[in-house]
Each structure stands twice: as C-alpha cells, then as structure tokens.
Amino acid sequence: MGHLGHRPQFHPLKHGFDEWFGSPNCHFGPYDNKVKPNIPVYRDWEMVGRFYEEFPINLKTGEANLTQIYLQEALEFIRTQHARQSPFFLYWAIDATHAPVYASRPFLGTSHRGRYGDAVREIDDSVGKILSLLQNLGISKNTFVFFTSDNGAALISAPKEGGSNGPFLCGKQTTFEGGMREPAIAWWPGHIAAGQVSRQLGSIMDLFTTSLSLAGLNPPSDRVIDGLNLLPTMLQGHVMDRPIFYYRGNTLMAVTLGQYKAHFWTWTNSWEEFRQGIDFCPGQNVSGVTTHSQEEHTKLPLIFHLGRDPGERFPFSFASDEYQDALSRITPVVQQHQMSLVPGQPQLNVCNQAVMNWAPPGCEKLGKCLTPPESVPEKCSWSH
C-alpha cells in the first residue's frame, strides 16, 4: 500500500518481490470513473479490479472486506512457502485506518472508538492470526516479525477517521513528532526477550540493513546506506546514538540527535488550506512553531528536548548554555549529512493526470481500460 507510484518502473516486481497482491496507492475515491479512475488492485503484473468496483467499500456504513482479503492472501502465502520449505519475506501493508476508514461486518460497531477503532481491532485480530499460523506451523522461532506504521495519526481525518498522537505535536504531513513518531514492535520468540522496551530511535529505512543482517549479508559498500542494523538493540539491548533527518519534499526541516530536536524550518500547512478547514494540528497552536507560512530557522534553529518536552512546546532560549551545547553537537552532524548527500529528483513536486491508472496492464481482459487525458505536468498541491 502507501504510494508506490503509478508508473511501471515502480512496480514491486521490479524491486525484488516475486509476488504482489495489492494496489499502488491507498483506497482514495470514489472518483467519477471517466474524469479520475479508481485505483486498481493487482495480482502480480495485472490488475484484477478497482477499489469501489470489484473491491467495494461502502462509504456510508464503512463496510469493506479488504482487510480480510489481505489477511487470507498473507496466510496462503505463508502456508505455500512453508510447504515448499522455502524461506520467505512477507510485506503486509494494510490501509484500513487510512480515511475513508473501513472494517468488515464482524468488526463494525464493536469498539468504543467508532469506525477507526473497529478498523484497528480488525488489524489487531489479523496480526494475531498471522502470528498464530507461524506458531502452528512450528516456524515462529525462525521467523522475525516487525510491526510499525508509516506515519503518525492523520489528524486531518480525526477524530472520526484518524488516530490520536497523544502528547505529540500535530500529525501526518508535518515534521513535528505527531507526524513522524510511531511505535514499533519486534517479535522473534527464543531470540528477542518478551516485554522489553527500548528507547532506540529507529527508521523504517533500518529494516533494510536489519533484514540483510538477519540473512547474513552485508549492505553494499559503494554508497552511503541510511539504515542502521537494529539487531544489537533487539538482541542485546544496545542503544545507539544516531541522527534522524526529517524532510518535507527535498527540504531538510528538522533533525533529531539523542534527546534533542532542531527545527530548521517550521510549517504546518498554508494559510489558504487552513482557511478552507484543512488542519494538521487541530486544537494545537504553539506560537512561532506551528506556523502557516514557511519560516526559516537555518541560522538559529528552534531546539527542543524531547524527553522533557515531547510536545515540542518550549523551545530553548537561544542564550542558554544547553542551546549552545545542543547546537554544537547537531551542526557538524547536519554538515556531514549534507556533504554526503546525492540529491535525487523529487518525485512529489510534479503532478500529471496522464500517468494515473487509466489503462493498467490487464485492463483489456476486464473491459476496464480508460482513455488517458493529454500529458500536462503541473506543480502539485499536496493537501493530504
């Protein structure tokens, strides 16, 4: 799930996967099928239908069987690999908690948290079924499982169709803690002791290096690899001091080092969007921090101590000794990062309706091909 990109070069089977069931995007929509196509669902190279069409989602009731479909696909994949005595890598990315939120009928109305809680309960139940299968097949002790999220709660959809970020500032789309910080759970019976809590700061990019280490492989040495191998943390409880860089587009917005976080730019969303009711920080306003114009602080970054101030509400005084000490540690780390950085071409700055899923592979068999519009690249407006 997530945003893989519509074009053929971004297809999972071109990036090391042997099988794929899912979609190149979340279940946005429904759209007027002649003006904007609904998102397709694929099996391997070909589409097998579209959201809201062959894969229905009832926007009124919130009923959809998608999580159950994804669950059965995952269970079948594990059973097949086990029968072949083949090692496997399963990436299971469900999107039920992304607005518009959905759950299957047995879960609808079962939580105290409305439709969002229902969706979380179904995901929880599904993870339980996956772990139970690993145990029943007798392979839990040599299967490493990692659970996390791609971003903090999307407060733009809250409270009905979004989670809560507790004490953290703002939500998805921002580089404040509410947008970027999420919990993670690692499970590997017989290797990772139960009930441990680690303060190690991690990134989803670390799963690449961690997975290589689990497979007994070394990462390539001809380039800078951003990920850190987290096995020493999980197996021996080591905590490694490492920076995390927070980007928005191709702008370095902030960096965390240890307990300190420095903001080089502050911005929630534009005044124009804000006046239309789009709010990434509902009920939260920190003067000079949650700004609606892009404010530059590259000369004197705003610095917070996340241990004492997880909500990023009290920036240090520029004159304080602690500010100077934190800045003296952060500055060389940022300089080193920027020196080793090879800029890529930003993928999200240009939008072009012509590259959407008008006529994906397999559409002919289904009679689902649509005629794409003329190719007109334009600057994107990313309100969501």
Side-chain angles (χ1 to χ4, degrees):
M1 279 300 160
H3 299 207
L4 299 179
H6 302 305
R7 290 177 289 176
Q9 66 265 40
F10 302 124
H11 193 291
L13 271 57
K14 288 204 170 176
H15 291 270
F17 288 91
D18 299 309
E19 303 177 21
W20 179 38
F21 177 81
S23 159
N25 209 324
C26 271
H27 56 284
F28 301 138
Y31 299 114
D32 177 331
N33 210 9
K34 299 293 173 280
V35 179
K36 272 188 179 177
N38 282 330
I39 306 291
V41 176
Y42 283 77
R43 181 174 300 286
D44 298 332
W45 290 110
E46 295 194 343
M47 72 180 282
V48 287
R50 293 185 188 270
F51 287 137
Y52 300 97
E53 296 169 36
E54 290 73 18
F55 295 88
I57 304 166
N58 187 319
L59 289 179
K60 283 204 176 105
T61 64
E63 184 179 347
N65 287 329
L66 287 171
T67 301
Q68 291 304 313
I69 292 169
Y70 294 136
L71 171 62
Q72 293 310 318
E73 289 287 334
L75 298 176
E76 191 54 39
F77 174 78
I78 293 168
R79 285 190 200 103
T80 301
Q81 301 312 311
H82 176 64
R84 291 176 183 162
Q85 295 188 313
S86 171
F88 62 87
F89 175 84
L90 168 66
Y91 176 51
W92 194 67
I94 58 279
D95 68 349
T97 51
H98 188 298
V101 166
Y102 62 79
S104 62
R105 189 171 295 171
F107 291 90
L108 280 177
T110 63
S111 80
H112 292 282
R113 182 64 171 76
R115 201 177 289 178
Y116 184 84
D118 300 344
V120 171
R121 291 196 75 211
E122 185 166 15
I123 290 169
D124 182 47
D125 180 80
S126 301
V127 170
K129 287 190 165 78
I130 291 171
L131 297 184
S132 294
L133 178 61
L134 296 174
Q135 287 168 320
N136 292 341
L137 294 175
I139 56 173
S140 61
K141 288 195 172 168
N142 58 356
T143 307
F144 173 82
V145 179
F146 196 89
F147 179 90
T148 188
S149 176
D150 52 349
N151 44 256
L155 299 185
I156 188 172
S157 309
K160 287 191 172 176
E161 297 201 291
S164 162
N165 293 316
F168 301 122
L169 187 60
C170 298
K172 177 185 171 182
Q173 289 290 86
T174 75
T175 46
F176 299 110
E177 291 300 278
M180 306 298 282
R181 182 187 287 222
E182 58 275 329
I185 303 167
W187 184 87
W188 190 12
H191 299 269
I192 298 174
Q196 296 180 94
V197 175
S198 174
R199 306 285 170 216
Q200 175 66 48
L201 200 54
S203 149
I204 289 177
M205 289 185 285
D206 298 336
L207 295 180
F208 172 65
T209 23
T210 304
S211 299
L212 287 180
S213 180
L214 282 163
L217 299 168
N218 292 317
S221 56
D222 61 343
R223 70 205 76 178
V224 174
I225 301 290
D226 295 308
L228 192 68
N229 175 15
L230 294 177
L231 286 186
T233 296
M234 297 173 194
L235 301 179
Q236 287 105 34
H238 292 190
V239 176
M240 298 163 274
D241 206 11
R242 58 87 69 89
I244 296 279
F245 301 99
Y246 300 72
Y247 279 84
R248 208 161 161 178
N250 51 348
T251 303
L252 179 62
M253 300 288 287
V255 62
T256 302
L257 185 64
Q259 291 284 289
Y260 294 106
K261 184 172 177 186
H263 290 267
F264 305 110
W265 290 85
T266 53
W267 184 45
T268 58
N269 61 326
S270 68
W271 279 114
E272 184 186 15
E273 288 178 337
F274 186 64
R275 288 190 189 106
Q276 291 169 359
I278 296 169
D279 190 356
F280 299 150
C281 316
Q284 296 177 311
N285 178 30
V286 182
S287 182
V289 177
T290 54
T291 52
H292 290 291
S293 49
Q294 295 181 49
E295 302 292 334
E296 186 171 1
H297 308 281
T298 51
K299 299 284 183 285
L300 280 175
L302 302 183
I303 300 182
F304 300 87
H305 187 284
L306 294 177
R308 301 195 295 268
D309 177 25
E312 294 168 284
R313 282 160 174 75
F314 306 102
F316 290 145
S317 157
F318 296 142
S320 68
D321 288 345
E322 192 168 12
Y323 180 90
Q324 296 301 331
D325 179 51
L327 186 62
S328 70
R329 281 192 263 166
I330 288 166
T331 302
V333 166
V334 171
Q335 286 171 341
Q336 185 187 356
H337 167 69
Q338 290 176 327
M339 276 166 51
S340 68
L341 197 66
V342 180
Q345 189 62 38
Q347 295 285 333
L348 296 179
N349 294 1
V350 177
C351 285
N352 186 352
Q353 294 278 28
V355 303
M356 292 180 75
N357 297 282
W358 300 94
C363 67
E364 303 86 356
K365 292 180 194 170
L366 299 173
K368 287 267 167 188
C369 303
L370 300 168
T371 308
E374 195 182 339
S375 179
V376 183
E378 58 185 7
K379 190 174 186 306
C380 291
S381 168
W382 287 99
S383 61
H384 201 45

